[in-house]
């Protein structure tokens, strides 16, 4: 085709790897490729491109007025009635309850799960047992792949679908679909930001070599057998069934994540946060619970409590089907946003982020961890508190410290 117009895609500073452009391309002229910093971006093959412009049209970051936000949310604190399922959830299990409500309607749930090589990809669940791999936070960006195309097929068939992902990927899905589907429900999380998969894979290779294992799961915030949350180590599960506690410098990936060393550039100027969201539901840990209105059940705090925001009319209409799985109390957005700053503002990049990016490709993970992720005095104090005092005391101290 002569005189075709080669598309100009979103800049790397603003691209969220939502893959709407990749999914909409009729000629597979766009591929998602990893750069030298371990992050994926769309690349156009000019020889295959026909210049149709669909990729530019569906990009949510290039068309900022394309999607409307929902109105003011109804906010709840909640936790699952089923203690066993709650134990396998990151906080109180609100996302599981929403997923269960959709599955009970014969629908499909899409969420982030590790594949056999420990890459995180959006994966489909069609029954309650299949939800387990997509429970718990992953602390790495999920690859979209062709998930959006499959979701569209299910919606066009008249099925219920829940898509659970980051706010930017919710925007990507809605923009790709180009119309509203009454049976589509979207769920985003209060997102700290996402590292690229390449960074996690570098950490994974280091851990596998150090401990002579094949990693099958990484749990940044595990819970004890009694369901109490732990904050001083991450957990690696191996192919032979063993588990390894990753503490202090061995837990360097988690430390780097918390310090915002290797989040995507777009995460530092997030266009999906705020009180009024693009998603139907928003979930998070309810860190600020009790700081506006009293909440005295400290035992529930140590087991994990979710913040659940109903952002849309659809979400509020579905809530009766969700609440049968949950213990709930109505709260406020003000309380939900206290100590949960990424609800309404972007993560601040580490002052050493650019230096880390320069070193990332040429240095081993050991060297990177030693240079950028060592504990300072504050880290050592918090590590000792979390490790040696009972969870209830830590939560009371944290409550006092945050006012």
């Amino acid at each position: 085709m002569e005189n075709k117009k080669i598309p100009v895609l979103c800049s790397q500073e603003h691209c969220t790897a939502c893959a709407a452009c990749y999914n909409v391309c009729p000629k597979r002229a766009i591929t998602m490729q990893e750069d030298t910093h371990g992050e994926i971006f769309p690349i156009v093959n000019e020889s295959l491109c026909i210049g149709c412009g669909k990729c530019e049209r569906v990009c949510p970051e290039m068309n900022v007025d394309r999607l409307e936000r929902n109105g003011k949310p109804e906010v709840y604190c909640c936790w699952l009635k089923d203690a066993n399922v709650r134990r396998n959830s990151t906080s109180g299990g609100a996302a599981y309850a929403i997923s269960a409500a959709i599955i009970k309607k014969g629908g499909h749930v899409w969420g982030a799960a590790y594949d056999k090589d420990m890459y995180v990809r959006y994966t489909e669940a069609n029954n309650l047992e299949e939800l387990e791999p997509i429970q718990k936070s992953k602390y790495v960006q999920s690859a979209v792949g062709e998930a959006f195309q499959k979701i569209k097929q299910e919606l066009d068939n008249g099925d219920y679908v829940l898509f659970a992902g980051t706010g930017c990927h919710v925007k990507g899905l809605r923009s790709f679909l180009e119309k509203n589907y009454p049976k589509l429900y979207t769920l985003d999380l209060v997102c700290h930001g996402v590292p690229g998969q390449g960074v996690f894979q570098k950490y994974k290779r280091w851990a596998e070599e150090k401990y002579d294992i094949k990693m099958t799961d990484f749990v940044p915030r595990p819970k004890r057998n009694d369901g109490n949350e732990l904050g001083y180590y991450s957990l690696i599960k191996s192919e032979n069934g063993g588990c390894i506690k990753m503490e202090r410098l061995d837990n360097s990936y988690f430390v780097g994540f918390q310090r915002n060393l290797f989040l995507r550039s777009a995460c530092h100027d997030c266009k999906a946060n705020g009180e009024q969201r693009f998603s139907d539901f928003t979930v998070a840990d309810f860190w600020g619970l009790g700081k506006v209105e009293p909440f005295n059940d400290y035992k529930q705090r140590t087991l994990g409590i979710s913040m659940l925001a109903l952002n849309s009319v659809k979400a509020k209409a579905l809530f009766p089907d969700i609440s049968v799985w949950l213990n709930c109390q109505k709260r406020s957005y003000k309380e939900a946003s206290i100590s949960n700053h990424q609800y309404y503002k972007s993560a601040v990049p580490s002052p050493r982020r650019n230096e880390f990016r320069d070193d990332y490709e040429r240095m081993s993970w050991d060297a990177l961890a030693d240079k950028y992720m060592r504990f300072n005095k504050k880290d050592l104090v918090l590590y000792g508190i979390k490790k040696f005092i009972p969870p209830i005391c830590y939560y009371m101290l944290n409550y006092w410290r945050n006012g």
Side-chain angles (χ1 to χ4, degrees):
M1 182 185 294
E2 296 183 0
N3 300 320
K4 66 182 178 183
K5 179 180 177 293
I6 301 300
V8 178
L9 300 181
C10 180
S11 69
Q12 289 199 354
E13 288 74 23
H14 296 103
C15 177
T16 64
C18 76
C21 57
Y22 166 79
N23 275 269
V24 81
C25 181
K27 295 296 181 180
R28 294 187 176 272
I30 296 176
T31 54
M32 303 298 292
Q33 298 182 20
E34 188 174 299
D35 72 357
T36 57
H37 300 118
E39 300 169 3
I40 59 172
F41 294 93
I43 303 296
V44 178
N45 183 329
E46 295 186 10
S47 65
L48 295 177
C49 177
I50 59 173
C52 66
K54 288 183 177 181
C55 54
E56 293 174 312
R57 188 177 74 232
V58 301
C59 176
E61 307 309 321
M62 293 175 64
N63 302 280
V64 294
D65 298 324
R66 182 180 180 83
L67 302 174
E68 291 185 1
R69 291 178 181 260
N70 290 299
K72 299 275 188 178
E74 287 182 10
V75 175
Y76 293 84
C77 73
C78 57
W79 57 93
L80 285 166
K81 295 175 181 177
D82 187 322
N84 290 325
V85 179
R86 183 183 184 185
R87 189 179 301 118
N88 289 323
S89 301
T90 298
S91 54
Y96 180 92
I98 300 167
S99 301
I102 294 297
I103 284 174
K104 289 298 183 183
K105 291 179 176 292
H108 315 275
V109 175
W110 289 82
Y114 294 114
D115 68 11
K116 62 181 178 61
D117 296 315
M118 291 294 293
Y119 279 90
V120 179
R121 308 183 188 280
Y122 286 113
T123 304
E124 184 176 15
N126 295 303
N127 56 58
L128 296 180
E129 291 71 28
E130 291 176 353
L131 288 176
E132 186 173 355
I134 65 178
Q135 288 181 269
K136 295 188 180 297
S137 301
K138 302 302 186 291
Y139 286 50
V140 64
Q141 185 166 52
S142 181
V144 174
E146 297 178 353
F148 289 178
Q149 297 175 36
K150 295 174 183 176
I151 289 170
K152 185 178 187 302
Q153 291 171 5
E154 291 167 349
L155 292 168
D156 287 339
N157 288 337
D159 296 344
Y160 284 93
V161 175
L162 171 67
F163 175 76
T166 53
C168 54
H169 286 185
V170 167
K171 287 174 62 183
L173 172 62
R174 288 185 55 195
S175 189
F176 162 78
L177 292 172
E178 297 194 276
K179 72 174 187 178
N180 293 322
Y181 285 86
K183 290 186 176 181
L184 171 65
Y185 292 84
T186 56
L187 179 154
D188 74 347
L189 54 147
V190 173
C191 180
H192 179 88
V194 289
Q197 299 230 22
V199 180
F200 177 73
Q201 288 295 317
K202 188 164 187 168
Y203 173 72
K204 168 185 169 284
R205 289 191 294 271
W206 166 83
E208 289 182 330
E209 182 177 348
K210 177 173 181 175
Y211 293 102
D212 192 23
I213 59 165
K214 178 174 173 56
M215 188 189 299
T216 58
D217 198 8
F218 177 72
V219 185
R221 291 169 47 205
K223 292 182 178 180
R224 300 189 319 198
N225 289 335
D226 62 3
N228 277 277
E229 291 186 316
L230 295 164
Y232 68 90
Y233 70 84
S234 296
L235 194 67
I236 285 178
K237 298 181 181 180
S238 66
E239 192 175 49
N240 64 12
C243 294
I244 302 170
K245 287 184 179 181
M246 305 299 283
E247 300 186 55
R248 299 181 65 170
L249 199 58
D250 276 1
N251 202 18
S252 48
Y253 179 81
F254 185 70
V255 174
F257 174 84
Q258 289 188 311
R259 292 179 181 175
N260 300 343
L261 270 171
F262 39 70
L263 305 182
R264 281 184 77 94
S265 297
C267 297
H268 301 299
D269 187 24
C270 177
K271 305 299 185 184
N273 57 21
E275 179 182 8
Q276 295 175 251
R277 315 285 282 197
F278 294 97
S279 61
D280 297 298
F281 302 95
T282 299
V283 297
D285 296 280
F286 211 135
W287 300 121
L289 184 61
K291 295 180 180 178
V292 175
E293 297 291 337
F295 184 85
N296 299 318
D297 195 342
Y298 283 95
K299 176 61 177 174
Q300 296 303 331
R301 286 178 181 276
T302 66
L303 299 173
I305 296 179
S306 294
M307 186 286 299
L308 170 60
L310 311 179
N311 301 321
S312 66
V313 173
K314 277 198 300 187
K316 293 167 188 174
L318 189 65
F319 188 57
D321 294 339
I322 299 165
S323 60
V324 298
W325 300 84
L326 297 168
N327 295 298
C328 306
Q329 293 182 20
K330 196 167 187 180
R331 311 302 287 192
S332 67
Y333 168 75
K334 179 180 179 181
E335 190 172 42
S337 60
I338 293 174
S339 301
N340 223 338
H341 305 303
Q342 267 64 67
Y343 203 149
Y344 57 90
K345 67 180 183 181
S346 303
V348 178
S350 165
R352 304 187 71 188
R353 178 177 184 268
N354 290 337
E355 185 184 357
F356 175 88
R357 287 167 74 85
D358 289 341
D359 287 338
Y360 168 76
E361 190 176 16
R362 66 180 183 84
M363 290 177 67
S364 68
W365 188 267
D366 258 333
L368 290 169
D370 187 61
K371 183 174 180 178
Y372 295 100
M373 304 167 210
R374 280 196 170 277
F375 273 23
N376 56 34
K377 290 181 179 179
K378 179 182 175 182
D379 294 326
L380 288 169
V381 170
L382 289 174
Y383 170 82
I385 290 170
K386 291 178 179 181
K387 182 170 183 177
F388 295 112
I389 70 173
I392 186 65
C393 298
Y394 168 70
Y395 273 84
M396 291 174 70
L397 179 65
N398 192 51
Y399 178 86
W400 168 79
R401 181 171 62 88
N402 287 309

